[in-house]
């Protein structure tokens, strides 16, 4: 959940006052919302009663005539959605508010602030004398609030580091959680049993409820981990270790929870039950993954056919994933693992099939939902804390907190000793510290505790109090101090730089190289299996699940095209043709790299005199009017269709057109003396996309329409200095584009072989982009409200 | 007796030079013998290729393999740096088939082409464009201000290091060398 740092105005304080006012208003409205139902509850009933009496008493016709209600207040009607929306609004406004305050987001993690807000809201509600709504209802939490966060995490899970460290992650998740649960549960029981002198309520605590409590509180919580680790930008390895652990321990938690809950009533657990528990664990985890994978493949397969209905593409992703979660929960399998598996499996295929816009939609919807969910969860935690019911027991709570810390540290250190024997890149002490310190508990533990039934577990309130205390401790104390500790220990941070094409090439090269070397050494190492999986994927799976040409596209090319597109969009956003805002400002362009080519055929150069102003104007007019004509054809807009985006539809056609253009260019080289003005100058893909990106209305390069009438003007004298080889200009400009691939520099007359010609070409190029991105005076903005932005 | 004595001495010698343990060298030797059909050297299948030699002996085999050793917990920072440099040097030499100390555009294009060679027919244009873009990136990162007339000869080793320093080679370029003998498969002479 990237926290966008909004515009920090210098008058930060002044700006936040209206915000505070707004927040206060929100809270008041919320209170009203809870008060009014009670008031409204009484009157309709009595009104109804009176009416009935009237009818009965008076008989047929003598109704007491009420005035027709012009304005009526019927809160009951909309109560539930209204309150839900109010909560969501409150959460979002809070999030906005935090970033208005100058230095707070740097010191205090957002989760702490949100819990505090929840506490305040809960407190206000309680002060107003109302009953606090049972917001952290387990049903609501597990079915509505948790899935978006997990789906967001699963869909964007970085697969490569995850797979590379899978063994470590599993060790921490399974063995670590088991160790925590038994250690905490067992020692708590032991502690509760001492104090022989005064008969304590703690003595009633049996071993099994203790173990149950241990299993609830031992699991590292993905929501809390995400919330805190997002802000500290730690290196990828540690992030994936802690985060992966928090995701995969769900299976263990589910099994232990159900096991101990079932048998707490019976009172004993036999060896057979333990054995069944282990089997159950395998079923739960593998079953969850299987369910998720099945739904993922279904989603990928469905997305293969969505080329005609692009609008609903994101829906498939969301609905299939949610159904995977629900199906898994139905069988008491691990819903979290199902969700992760579904997202991770479907992603590569879906992304190859869907349009760019759908991809953006999916990304932003997931981020939005998960952000709102997370905010709501923390606020509700605060509210539920105020609600209670609480039962504070000093011994129990303090011992729990201490035991949690101690067991986590011992667990991590112990496991790392074992793990390091099998890892090549060992985990250092610093790493271990961060992993141990980052084990936060969160709302899942609370919800699981909430689910316990009071009849079977008389100590439920005590459990809840202890859980909340641990959560507060980890989130506040550990959450606030982890950032300075990371700085202090100089832990490696995340690399901000984006993946460059060189890195991609060499990573792939390395993969192949290492597979080969493993082959030479003769043992089946993990590169070998990865290679086999890739081959299988390419040969069979991709053919089924990816539509059309994209199924054969190797990964490197896909990466390259993505980069190209991104650069083109950047270029247009930065104003077209002017210096590209690249990471390293440099004046290096393709000319510097290409080995010196012999200058192109002489006759073409000779026909490149300067163009007069008048001619330029003419050309511009012609272009504009032609573009307008094509735009008018697209005016019929339908809510259910998106304006066609040629990139998706004509991917392979673009490539074919590129080739056609090259062939055409060769022909044109001989035709020097025609002024042909194509309305939509055909296209190197970069140019085409760049142009389209800036001007959403000129979708004239739909394949059917690109041969717009060309005006051929035979000039009076072929040798006249005014004759402009415009077509050739375009061609050469485009060819220049092609060679350049990614950089579209307006050379401003300096580079290249032919100075004066280049100058013109450069300026012409610039003018070309500018005039094409100018929508023209009378164009309407009907078709598409917003331009094609990333 | 005498024969095995000199052999262990030889192994010890090799171990010191390459950093392998004695068991690993034993294993690799067995593998070498299987690959070379129990002869002293492995012959090159394609002897006429640029930059290849006719045959290699066990020592050279080991030297090449030693480039793929992983860092251990005890390697210091400087040793890690040295290891990274060595691995990068190995990669660089693989690309620089002309042996002139720089990777030229033609050589780089060949690298990309070979990477994509198994994926069906890829257009030459795309390969060219990609290699060009990559080269451009190297150039602009390392020599940001070049006058339009200058010509960027090729990627030197320093530039190569600079470009790939984000990848942390010492943690990526390794394979597991086994200490104990595993029943190795007969990956014979017919490799793809």
């Amino acid at each position: 959940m990237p926290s966008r740092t909004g515009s920090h105005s210098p008058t930060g304080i002044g700006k936040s006052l209206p915000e505070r006012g707004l927040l206060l208003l929100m809270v008041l409205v919320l209170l009203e919302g809870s008060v009014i139902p009670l008031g409204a509850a009484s009157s309709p009933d009595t009104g109804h009663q009176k009416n009935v009496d009237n009818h009965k008493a008076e008989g047929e016709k003598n109704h007491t005539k009420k005035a027709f209600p012009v304005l009526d207040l019927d809160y009951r009607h909309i109560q539930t959605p209204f309150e839900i929306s109010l909560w969501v609004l409150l959460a979002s406004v809070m999030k906005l508010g935090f970033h208005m305050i100058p230095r707070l987001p740097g010191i205090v993690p957002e989760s702490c602030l949100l819990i505090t807000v929840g506490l305040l809201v809960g407190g206000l509600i309680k002060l107003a004398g109302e009953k606090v709504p049972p917001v952290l209802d387990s049903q609501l939490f597990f079915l509505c609030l948790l899935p978006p966060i997990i789906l967001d995490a699963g869909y964007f899970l970085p697969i490569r580091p995850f797979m590379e460290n899978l063994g470590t992650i599993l060790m921490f998740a399974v063995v670590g959680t088991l160790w925590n649960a038994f250690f905490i549960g067992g020692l708590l029981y032991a502690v509760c049993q001492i104090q022989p002198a005064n008969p304590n309520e703690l003595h009633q605590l049996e071993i099994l409820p203790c173990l149950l409590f241990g299993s609830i509180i031992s699991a590292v919580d993905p929501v809390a981990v995400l919330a805190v680790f997002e802000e500290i930008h730690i290196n990828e390895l540690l992030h994936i270790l802690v985060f992966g652990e928090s995701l995969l321990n769900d299976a263990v938690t589910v099994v232990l929870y159900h096991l101990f809950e079932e048998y707490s009533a019976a009172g004993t657990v036999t060896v057979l039950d333990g054995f069944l528990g282990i089997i159950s664990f395998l079923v739960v985890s593998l079953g969850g993954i299987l369910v998720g994978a099945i739904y993922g493949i279904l989603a990928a397969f469905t997305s293969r056919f969505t080329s005609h209905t692009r609008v609903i593409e994101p829906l498939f992703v969301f609905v299939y994933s949610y159904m995977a979660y629900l199906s898994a929960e139905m069988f008491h399998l691990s819903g979290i693992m199902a969700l992760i598996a579904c997202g991770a499996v479907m992603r590569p295929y879906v992304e190859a099939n869907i349009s760019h816009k759908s991809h953006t939609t999916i990304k932003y919807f997931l981020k939005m939902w998960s952000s709102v969910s997370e905010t709501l969860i923390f606020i509700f935690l605060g509210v539920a804390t105020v609600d209670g019911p609480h039962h504070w027991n000093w011994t129990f709570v303090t011992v729990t907190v201490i035991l949690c810390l101690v067991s986590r540290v011992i667990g991590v250190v112990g496991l790392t000793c074992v793990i390091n024997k099998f890892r090549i890149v060992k985990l250092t002490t610093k790493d271990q510290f961060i992993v141990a310190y980052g084990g936060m508990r969160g709302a899942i533990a609370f919800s699981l505790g909430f689910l316990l039934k009071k009849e079977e577990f008389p100590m439920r309130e005590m459990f809840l109090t202890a859980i909340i205390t641990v959560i507060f401790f980890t989130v506040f104390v550990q959450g606030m101090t982890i950032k300075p500790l990371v700085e202090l220990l100089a832990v490696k941070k995340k690399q901000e730089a984006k993946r460059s094409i060189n890195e991609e090439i060499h990573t792939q090269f390395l993969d192949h190289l290492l597979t080969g070397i493993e082959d030479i050494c003769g043992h089946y190492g993990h590169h070998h299996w990865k290679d086999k999986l890739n081959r299988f994927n390419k040969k069979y799976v991709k053919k089924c699940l990816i539509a059309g040409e994209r199924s054969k596209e190797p990964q490197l090319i896909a990466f390259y095209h993505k980069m190209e597109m991104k650069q083109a969009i950047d270029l247009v956003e930065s104003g077209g043709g002017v210096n590209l805002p690249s990471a390293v400002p440099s004046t290096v362009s393709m000319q510097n790299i290409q080995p010196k080519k012999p200058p192109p055929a002489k006759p073409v150069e000779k026909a490149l005199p300067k163009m007069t102003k008048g001619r330029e104007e003419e050309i511009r007019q012609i272009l504009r009017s032609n573009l307008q004509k094509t735009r008018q054809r697209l005016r019929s807009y339908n809510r259910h269709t998106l304006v066609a985006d040629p990139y998706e539809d004509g991917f392979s056609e673009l490539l074919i057109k590129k080739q056609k253009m090259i062939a055409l260019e060769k022909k044109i080289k001989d035709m020097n003396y025609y002024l042909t003005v194509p309305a939509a100058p055909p296209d190197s893909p970069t140019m085409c996309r760049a142009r389209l990106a800036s001007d959403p209305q000129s979708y004239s390069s739909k394949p059917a329409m690109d041969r717009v009438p060309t005006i051929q003007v035979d000039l009076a004298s072929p040798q006249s200095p005014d004759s402009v080889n415009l077509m050739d200009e375009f061609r050469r400009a485009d060819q220049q584009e092609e060679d350049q691939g990614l950089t579209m520099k307006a050379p401003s007359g300096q580079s290249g072989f032919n100075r004066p010609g280049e100058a013109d070409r450069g300026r012409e190029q610039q003018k070309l982009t500018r005039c094409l991105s100018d929508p023209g005076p009378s164009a309407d903005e009907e078709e598409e409200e917003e331009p094609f932005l990333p | 007796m005498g024969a095995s004595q000199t052999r262990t001495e030889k192994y010890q010698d090799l171990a010191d030079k390459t950093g392998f343990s004695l068991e690993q060298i034993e294993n690799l030797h067995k593998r070498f013998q299987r690959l070379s059909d129990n002869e002293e050297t492995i012959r090159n299948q394609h002897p006429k290729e640029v930059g290849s030699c006719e045959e290699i002996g066990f020592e050279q085999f080991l030297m090449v393999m030693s480039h793929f050793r992983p860092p251990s917990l005890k390697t210091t920072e400087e040793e890690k740096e040295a290891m990274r440099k060595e691995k990068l040097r190995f990669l660089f030499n693989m690309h620089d088939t002309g042996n002139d100390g720089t990777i030229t555009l033609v050589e780089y294009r060949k690298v990309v082409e070979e990477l994509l060679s198994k994926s069906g027919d890829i257009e030459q244009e795309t390969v060219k464009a990609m290699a060009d873009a990559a080269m451009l990136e190297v150039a602009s990162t390392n020599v940001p201000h070049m006058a339009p007339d200058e010509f960027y000869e090729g990627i030197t080793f320093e530039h190569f290091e600079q470009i790939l320093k984000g990848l942390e080679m010492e943690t990526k370029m390794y394979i597991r060398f086994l200490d104990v003998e595993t029943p190795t498969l007969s990956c014979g002479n017919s490799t793809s």
Side-chain angles (χ1 to χ4, degrees):
Chain A
M1 274 59 73
S3 39
R4 241 172 16 109
T5 51
S7 55
H8 288 293
S9 61
T11 61
I13 306 295
K15 220 177 173 189
S16 62
L17 274 183
E19 280 298 324
R20 302 300 172 80
L22 193 59
L23 296 180
L24 211 47
L25 188 62
M26 284 294 138
V27 174
L28 285 175
V29 175
L30 183 63
L31 287 182
E32 290 296 305
S34 8
V35 167
I36 284 181
L38 297 180
S42 42
S43 42
D45 284 342
T46 53
H48 181 73
Q49 195 62 24
K50 248 195 251 155
N51 257 339
V52 170
D53 286 342
N54 270 337
H55 275 259
K56 281 209 205 129
E58 307 245 351
E60 307 81 34
K61 284 182 210 115
N62 210 356
H63 303 279
T64 48
K65 187 166 177 220
K66 287 194 307 185
F68 186 77
V70 175
L71 194 62
D72 205 7
L73 183 70
D74 188 2
Y75 185 67
R76 268 285 189 74
H77 186 57
I78 48 126
Q79 181 176 0
T80 321
F82 190 78
E83 286 184 351
I84 295 177
S85 312
L86 216 52
W87 277 112
V88 174
L89 201 57
L90 176 71
S92 319
V93 170
M94 285 299 136
K95 242 177 134 72
L96 284 182
F98 293 147
H99 293 283
M100 300 263 169
I101 308 173
R103 271 175 313 133
L104 202 55
I107 309 175
V108 184
E110 225 175 68
S111 36
C112 303
L113 291 171
L114 290 170
I115 294 188
T116 323
V117 167
L119 285 172
L120 284 173
V121 170
L124 276 174
I125 295 184
K126 235 194 177 144
L127 274 181
E130 295 306 328
K131 182 180 174 323
V132 175
V135 274
L136 211 51
D137 175 23
S138 295
Q139 189 82 341
L140 174 71
F141 177 76
F142 280 112
L143 292 184
C144 300
L145 291 178
L146 192 60
I149 303 180
I150 305 293
L151 179 60
D152 179 37
Y155 194 76
F156 293 109
L157 193 69
I159 295 284
R160 215 187 153 104
F162 186 76
M163 285 301 167
E164 282 175 6
N165 295 300
L166 193 60
T168 316
I169 294 178
L170 276 177
M171 276 290 268
F172 277 129
V174 176
V175 181
T177 313
L178 279 174
W179 156 260
N180 277 347
F182 283 101
F183 187 75
I184 296 178
L187 277 191
L188 257 184
Y189 180 65
V191 165
C192 287
Q193 294 305 336
I194 62 176
Q195 300 189 353
N198 35 355
N200 203 342
E201 57 184 353
L202 292 179
H203 285 191
Q204 340 167 328
L205 210 50
E206 300 286 313
I207 177 88
L208 277 175
C210 270
L211 284 175
L212 177 61
F213 177 72
S215 69
I216 293 178
I217 198 128
S218 63
V220 177
D221 187 82
V223 180
V225 164
L226 261 180
V228 171
F229 272 51
E230 267 294 314
E231 302 182 4
I232 60 179
H233 299 301
I234 207 166
N235 69 44
E236 198 181 51
L237 172 68
L238 288 178
H239 184 107
I240 199 74
L241 279 183
V242 183
F243 183 59
E245 179 196 344
S246 69
L247 289 175
L248 294 186
N249 65 19
D250 182 57
V252 182
T253 314
V254 163
V255 170
L256 282 180
Y257 182 79
H258 283 289
L259 189 76
F260 289 133
E261 197 195 6
E262 285 281 321
Y263 294 124
S264 282
T268 54
V269 176
T270 65
V271 176
L272 181 63
D273 296 327
F275 189 61
L276 283 178
I278 297 179
I279 302 206
S280 164
F281 167 70
L282 287 173
V283 168
V284 161
S285 50
L286 294 176
I289 295 179
L290 189 67
V291 168
I294 292 178
Y295 273 100
I297 294 189
L298 278 177
F301 190 66
T302 315
S303 73
R304 188 182 164 175
F305 303 106
T306 56
S307 50
H308 298 290
T309 41
R310 294 268 182 209
V311 201
I312 55 172
E313 272 173 343
L315 193 68
F316 288 118
V317 172
F318 300 140
V319 172
Y320 272 112
S321 314
Y322 194 47
M323 287 196 44
Y325 180 74
L326 294 176
S327 311
E329 288 288 326
M330 178 168 71
F331 294 108
H332 279 305
L333 304 174
S334 166
I336 290 184
M337 292 180 93
L339 213 44
I340 303 277
C342 185
V345 164
M346 80 170 139
R347 186 177 180 204
Y349 308 110
V350 163
E351 290 209 333
N353 281 331
I354 62 179
S355 71
H356 188 85
K357 286 181 185 132
S358 299
H359 174 77
T360 311
T361 309
I362 292 179
K363 183 162 103 168
Y364 277 100
F365 259 89
L366 280 179
K367 298 284 174 203
M368 179 188 82
W369 270 329
S370 67
S371 179
V372 168
S373 268
E374 187 188 301
T375 317
L376 276 177
I377 288 181
F378 283 116
I379 292 188
F380 286 169
L381 255 182
V383 172
T385 311
V386 170
D387 191 16
H390 288 300
H391 180 98
W392 182 270
N393 184 310
W394 275 102
T395 331
F396 192 72
V397 172
T398 42
V399 169
T400 311
V401 174
I402 297 177
L403 277 182
C404 276
L405 285 174
V406 167
S407 83
R408 176 85 183 154
V409 171
I410 299 181
V412 168
V413 171
L415 280 176
T416 320
C417 287
V418 178
I419 290 173
N420 269 344
K421 293 205 178 49
F422 299 100
R423 275 180 73 89
I424 299 289
V425 180
K426 320 270 183 195
L427 293 175
T428 63
T429 330
K430 258 193 259 175
D431 296 336
Q432 292 173 35
F433 175 74
I434 296 288
V435 171
Y437 206 65
M440 324 228 161
R441 299 353 186 228
I444 293 187
F446 181 78
S447 304
L448 284 177
F450 208 75
L451 269 177
L452 294 173
K453 295 201 231 334
K454 178 85 186 190
E455 307 83 44
E456 298 174 20
F457 298 97
M459 315 299 303
R460 178 177 174 265
E461 274 110 39
M462 201 168 68
F463 286 174
L464 281 179
T465 314
I467 293 177
I468 287 191
T469 317
V470 173
I471 295 179
F472 271 45
F473 182 80
T474 53
V475 171
F476 278 90
V477 174
Q478 285 180 249
M480 276 202 269
T481 53
I482 199 168
K483 195 161 184 176
L485 275 174
V486 162
E487 304 280 334
L488 195 68
L489 292 176
V491 180
K492 253 191 296 189
K493 292 263 188 126
K494 182 159 74 163
Q495 293 176 311
E496 286 304 334
K498 275 187 283 208
R499 192 91 159 178
S500 74
I501 187 153
N502 276 297
E503 286 184 356
E504 183 74 21
I505 290 179
H506 281 98
T507 316
Q508 289 234 347
F509 186 79
L510 213 66
D511 271 342
H512 288 279
L513 178 67
L514 291 174
T515 312
I517 298 278
E518 270 188 4
D519 223 22
I520 294 179
C521 281
H523 70 267
Y524 282 142
H526 103 251
H527 286 279
H528 179 96
W529 293 116
K530 201 158 60 155
D531 193 54
K532 269 213 151 53
L533 184 66
N534 277 337
R535 278 183 214 267
F536 174 72
N537 190 13
K538 194 157 49 167
K539 202 155 171 210
Y540 299 110
V541 184
K542 272 191 179 167
K543 292 226 170 69
C544 299
L545 297 181
I546 300 185
E549 276 305 308
R550 298 292 288 271
S551 61
K552 297 206 206 78
E553 192 178 60
Q555 190 197 346
L556 198 55
I557 302 242
F559 178 82
Y560 175 63
H561 280 303
K562 229 193 287 187
M563 264 193 74
E564 227 187 350
M565 179 114 137
K566 228 182 281 185
Q567 285 235 0
I569 293 175
D570 278 341
L571 170 72
V572 169
E573 279 189 343
S574 73
V578 207
N579 283 328
L580 200 60
S582 56
V584 178
S586 80
T587 54
V588 180
S589 71
M590 287 313 285
Q591 271 77 27
N592 299 100
I593 303 181
Q594 303 283 8
K596 295 258 185 290
K597 288 201 257 216
K602 285 295 173 187
V604 171
E605 285 178 35
K606 284 213 191 101
L608 267 199
K610 284 198 192 300
M611 233 177 14
T612 62
K613 269 245 174 283
R615 187 72 71 193
E616 276 176 29
E617 263 313 303
E618 257 181 59
I619 292 170
R620 210 173 283 153
Q621 273 290 62
I622 295 171
L623 281 174
R624 200 175 286 158
S625 64
N626 269 307
L627 281 173
Q628 280 187 349
K629 281 209 203 99
T630 55
R631 249 179 262 128
Q632 281 161 9
R633 254 177 269 180
L634 295 174
R635 196 156 289 186
S636 68
Y637 170 67
N638 183 339
R639 190 163 52 101
H640 296 288
T641 55
L642 294 176
V643 184
D645 200 340
Y647 179 56
E648 288 88 31
D649 295 339
F651 181 72
S652 48
E653 281 111 41
L654 277 176
L655 293 181
I656 297 175
K657 272 200 286 191
K658 214 174 175 180
Q659 289 186 331
K660 267 201 245 167
M661 201 210 73
I662 302 170
L664 199 54
E665 173 226 311
K666 291 202 186 78
K667 269 197 283 174
I668 294 296
K669 264 199 183 135
D670 305 322
M671 304 187 333
N672 286 339
Y673 302 115
Y674 287 90
L675 176 63
T676 31
V677 181
D683 9 346
S684 86
T686 331
M687 178 99 167
C688 169
R689 271 172 259 146
R691 181 164 46 84
L692 292 172
S694 65
D695 182 6
Q697 294 159 344
S698 68
Y699 285 102
S700 48
S701 80
K702 264 195 206 165
M705 291 174 29
D706 63 348
R707 296 294 161 231
V708 190
T710 55
I711 303 170
Q712 294 205 342
V713 174
D714 243 351
L715 297 179
S717 71
Q719 303 286 348
S720 118
D722 275 3
S723 78
V724 174
N725 201 344
L726 197 58
M727 183 64 152
D728 203 33
E729 292 267 336
F730 286 146
R731 291 279 176 256
R732 188 161 317 130
D734 288 344
Q735 193 202 10
Q736 203 72 358
E737 307 304 311
E738 244 207 295
D739 273 359
Q740 286 173 6
L742 298 178
T743 33
M744 268 174 69
K745 294 221 169 285
S748 57
Q750 285 175 20
S751 53
F753 332 102
N754 190 9
R755 307 242 162 198
E758 277 287 338
D760 280 332
R761 203 177 307 139
R763 263 185 278 128
E764 181 59 30
Q765 202 174 321
Q766 232 176 351
K767 283 187 203 118
L768 195 61
T769 5
R770 241 186 280 132
C771 87
L772 284 173
S773 63
D774 168 22
S778 63
D780 284 322
E781 303 262 324
E782 271 190 16
E783 282 84 332
E784 206 175 349
E785 279 74 50
E786 31 185 23
F788 174 59
L789 281 174
Chain B
M1 284 305 162
S4 65
Q5 193 71 354
T6 51
R7 202 161 69 149
T8 8
E9 271 172 10
K10 206 165 57 153
Y11 280 4
Q12 190 57 48
D13 199 29
L14 287 172
D16 293 330
K17 261 198 260 178
T18 57
F20 282 122
S21 71
L22 285 178
E23 300 86 24
Q24 288 172 335
I25 295 188
E26 281 243 14
N27 269 322
L28 285 172
H29 192 77
K30 291 203 179 75
R31 181 67 190 161
F32 181 81
Q33 286 182 321
R34 192 172 305 181
L35 286 176
S36 71
D37 295 327
N38 281 320
E39 294 187 25
E40 279 299 312
T41 59
I42 303 181
R43 280 178 204 290
N44 195 340
Q45 304 278 339
H46 312 278
K48 291 296 180 297
E49 266 177 23
V50 176
S52 64
C53 56
E54 281 281 326
E55 50 186 32
I56 54 172
F58 182 55
E59 188 164 331
Q60 290 148 319
F61 181 73
L62 264 193
M63 293 302 295
V64 169
M65 286 300 157
S66 74
H67 288 286
F68 292 95
R69 283 181 47 246
S72 72
L73 201 52
K74 301 187 215 69
T75 39
T76 61
E77 277 305 313
E78 305 89 48
E79 285 177 10
K80 280 201 182 136
E81 273 298 315
M83 200 179 235
R84 187 190 307 185
K85 220 179 170 100
E86 181 200 321
K87 293 187 200 271
L88 281 176
R89 186 92 223 171
F90 184 79
L91 275 186
F92 186 79
N93 288 337
M94 274 192 83
H95 295 323
D96 181 23
T97 46
N99 252 329
D100 57 351
T102 58
I103 304 179
T104 63
L105 188 59
V106 173
E107 287 167 354
Y108 210 17
R109 275 192 193 149
K110 190 139 197 320
V111 171
V112 176
E113 202 180 294
E114 278 184 9
L115 256 189
L116 296 174
S117 59
K118 290 292 179 162
S119 334
D121 41 47
I122 302 297
E123 290 181 6
Q124 276 305 313
E125 290 301 321
T126 325
V127 170
K128 217 161 69 94
M130 212 184 318
D132 292 350
M135 194 79 163
L136 181 65
E137 197 183 60
V138 179
S140 29
T141 332
N142 284 303
V143 194
H145 300 287
M146 278 179 80
D149 269 350
E150 286 175 44
F151 177 54
Y152 184 69
E153 291 292 334
I155 309 179
T156 61
F157 183 58
E158 289 75 34
H159 295 176
F160 191 69
E161 260 185 303
Q162 180 69 17
I163 272 280
L164 291 184
K165 73 171 182 218
L167 278 186
E168 288 184 0
M169 270 306 161
E170 75 273 11
T171 57
K172 293 226 164 64
M173 181 165 147
Y174 65 85
I175 64 169
R176 240 177 248 279
F177 288 103
L178 304 171
D179 287 329
V180 291
E181 165 118 41
T182 46
T184 50
L185 27 119
S186 52
C187 300
N189 300 337
S190 59
T191 44
S192 51

